[in-house]
Amino acid sequence: MNYPAWLDLSEASLIPPLGTRQAPSLGPVAVMVSTAADLKLLQPALAETSFGSVPFFVSRLITDSQGFSVAGPFVGSPYAAMMMESLVAKGAKQILILGWCGSLRSDIQVGDLIVPDSGLVDEGTSRHYASLDPVLPQTLPNPDLSKQLADHLDTQGLVCAQGPVWTTDAIYRETPKKIAWFRDQGAIAVEMECSALFSVAAFQNVDVAALLVVSDSLAAGDWDPGFRRSRFKAARQDACDAILGFARHLAETQSLPMMDDGQ
């Protein structure tokens, strides 16, 4: 595919990510939490070991004394990419994504967990980071880190589905024809950030894996919201506990130093 001359992926940006001009202040592991509700669930578990919460764009950044950080919430690919770029600039090498998604298959229900193995690109951010297939553009998480995450879930007695997810910029344009097309391409769920975050991580040569909780379903031809269901609420708590446990495990295996200024 012929790309325009201005789309030169090797050319550096004039605007550096937040943190580039300062010494890295985070541990090597970062958790990006997409929803304010899940960030609130995580905070009690972080209270005794964190250096506190500071502003991070229009979100919050929590730096933990055990060698990892937690940032969020975020919505949409451009903002998520901006956040990831800044976490990388501040020293993050392995980044875990915690979010929600909508199921596209009847056998994947509200409250199930998904570890994506690819992101089908229906967003505008990835093309600034990767040369994409014009027919079926897709991006990939780190397969080893994704497997480690799935294995960690298994040790916690949690089952996860694995497969491609469809990432869209337009939550209110998930039309029947689009849903059918992406499902035919193998997508098992839809969300708003994964393919872009996989692109940024590959561009910056860092590892990324995602854990998604199914919050609603589009599988039956209409929208079935499950946000108030007890199974969804329980799955969110399980996912929060699992992602923190996995982040601590990853941080323990790293030898990079940890600074404590929380900035």
Side-chain angles (χ1 to χ4, degrees), residues 30-41:
V31 180
M32 292 179 58
V33 183
S34 70
T35 69
D38 283 350
L39 192 64
K40 185 176 180 180
L41 277 183

Side-chain angles (χ1 to χ4, degrees), residues 139-155:
T139 61
L140 304 174
N142 181 274
D144 291 336
L145 189 61
S146 296
K147 183 180 186 305
Q148 290 177 51
L149 175 57
D151 289 345
H152 178 79
L153 295 173
D154 186 60
T155 67

Side-chain angles (χ1 to χ4, degrees), residues 176-245:
K177 288 182 179 179
K178 287 181 71 175
I179 291 166
W181 190 87
F182 279 100
R183 184 164 48 210
D184 287 346
Q185 309 315 307
I188 64 175
V190 58
E191 51 76 64
M192 296 183 68
E193 299 90 13
C194 277
S195 65
L197 291 173
F198 297 165
S199 295
V200 176
F203 183 83
Q204 294 293 359
N205 197 30
V206 299
D207 297 337
V208 65
L211 173 60
L212 305 176
V213 184
V214 177
S215 58
D216 55 293
S217 179
L218 299 163
D222 56 4
W223 183 49
D224 177 22
F227 303 99
R228 297 183 182 275
R229 294 178 194 170
S230 58
R231 189 171 188 265
F232 173 60
K233 295 177 181 179
R236 285 178 48 221
Q237 186 65 65
D238 288 341
C240 286
D241 293 343
I243 209 79
L244 273 192

Side-chain angles (χ1 to χ4, degrees), residues 3 7 9 77-78 81 119-132 137-140 167 169 193-201 203:
Y3 289 90
L7 189 57
L9 299 179
S77 293
L120 303 184
V121 178
D122 190 24
E123 37 81 11
T125 301
S126 284
R127 72 189 187 100
H128 298 283
Y129 290 89
S131 297
L132 300 172
Q138 60 182 317
T139 61
L140 304 174
T167 301
D169 279 337
E193 299 90 13
C194 277
S195 65
L197 291 173
F198 297 165
S199 295
V200 176
F203 183 83

